[in-house]
Amino acid sequence: ASSAPSLEDQLRTLELPENQGPGMISTEKLYSVQSRFNPLRHRFELGVGVAQDFTNSAFLLSQQVGGSLRFHFNDRWSLGIAGGQVFNSLTETARLLMERDGIVPDAAYAKYRANLELAANTFYGKFRLGTDSVLYLDQYIALGGGVVGLNRGSASMATLDAGFAFWMRRGGVVRVGLKDNFYRETRELSTAMTHHWLGHIELGWMPGGSSVGVVQ
């Protein structure tokens, strides 16, 4: 009976002939699935933020400061309540009309807003900040309704919000988005349905859970 080949003989069979390169690398696609570093299931999220109204009249400048509370049912769905105080000031055009011509602009303005929203994370992803740093994010869309307090009463409003949530270390999150508030606005001489587009940024924190968001 012949003896088993030695280790040297087995390695020799793997050698390539002289003047011959290796064969073609397989073109088969490989996929990798990575679980979420910062699970959201059954967690609360507290946030504070600021917003700028981009669609006010030519007579008003409006900024909003507020807070929010969200409950994440799972990694995709969450329910949140938010509210804010609105700060208004006259533009240079409005001040000129008042001081020079004694004309008061017929403009409605918001004093506060509060709303309830159901949000869905449409996709979860990441991008590299450097050689050893990765930032994880969710793109979200939220629909809801609420109430807006105006200088002439209050009105019901519908809301649509879309943006990104960037997950940081120790449960921190930065949300950047654009929100549409749609409601009936009552002025001195007219009443009309109006859209108010607010660009907003929010800093949040989720107690408990994983402390990993940005990997270094």
Side-chain angles (χ1 to χ4, degrees):
S2 60
S3 60
S6 65
L7 178 60
E8 290 78 5
D9 293 335
Q10 296 180 53
L11 292 176
R12 195 173 294 113
T13 62
L14 300 177
E15 294 180 357
L16 292 174
E18 293 184 4
N19 302 321
Q20 182 176 329
M24 293 294 294
I25 299 176
S26 172
T27 58
E28 181 180 356
K29 293 182 179 180
L30 301 178
Y31 298 90
S32 175
V33 178
Q34 185 181 49
S35 60
R36 179 185 286 268
F37 272 131
N38 208 355
L40 305 178
R41 180 180 176 82
H42 293 168
R43 297 179 67 184
F44 286 94
E45 177 188 334
L46 302 170
V48 294
V50 295
Q52 173 69 49
D53 193 335
F54 294 126
T55 51
N56 249 330
S57 70
F59 306 116
L60 286 174
L61 297 174
S62 295
Q63 295 84 32
Q64 179 173 311
V65 177
S68 65
L69 173 64
R70 294 180 179 85
F71 177 72
H72 295 271
F73 300 106
N74 48 46
D75 290 339
R76 178 172 293 273
W77 296 98
S78 64
L79 184 67
I81 185 171
Q85 186 74 29
V86 183
F87 299 90
N88 301 283
S89 60
L90 294 175
T91 64
E92 194 63 33
T93 300
R95 282 196 291 268
L96 184 61
L97 287 174
M98 292 179 63
E99 294 172 1
R100 186 187 65 186
D101 303 324
I103 298 175
V104 178
D106 183 19
Y109 58 88
K111 301 196 300 186
Y112 66 86
R113 297 185 180 96
N115 64 277
L116 182 70
E117 291 181 336
L118 180 66
N121 294 326
T122 58
F123 72 82
Y124 174 69
K126 63 180 180 180
F127 62 88
R128 190 172 295 279
L129 299 176
T131 304
D132 301 316
S133 300
V134 177
L135 182 63
Y136 295 88
L137 59 92
D138 277 297
Q139 196 283 323
Y140 71 87
I141 295 177
L143 291 171
V147 62
V148 54
L150 302 167
N151 57 320
R152 294 181 178 87
S154 61
S156 299
M157 67 175 179
T159 61
L160 169 64
D161 188 14
F164 293 91
F166 300 95
W167 304 105
M168 315 301 289
R169 284 184 177 272
R170 304 194 179 280
V173 57
V174 178
R175 291 183 178 270
V176 180
L178 183 64
K179 177 180 288 189
D180 178 25
N181 294 321
F182 181 60
Y183 55 88
R184 181 175 294 277
E185 191 173 76
T186 301
R187 310 179 190 95
E188 183 69 28
L189 302 176
S190 63
T191 300
M193 299 299 294
T194 181
H195 291 270
H196 280 261
W197 292 94
L198 277 68
H200 62 89
I201 182 169
E202 182 179 288
L203 301 179
W205 174 65
M206 293 191 301
S210 171
S211 64
V212 180
V214 178
V215 180
Q216 296 183 341

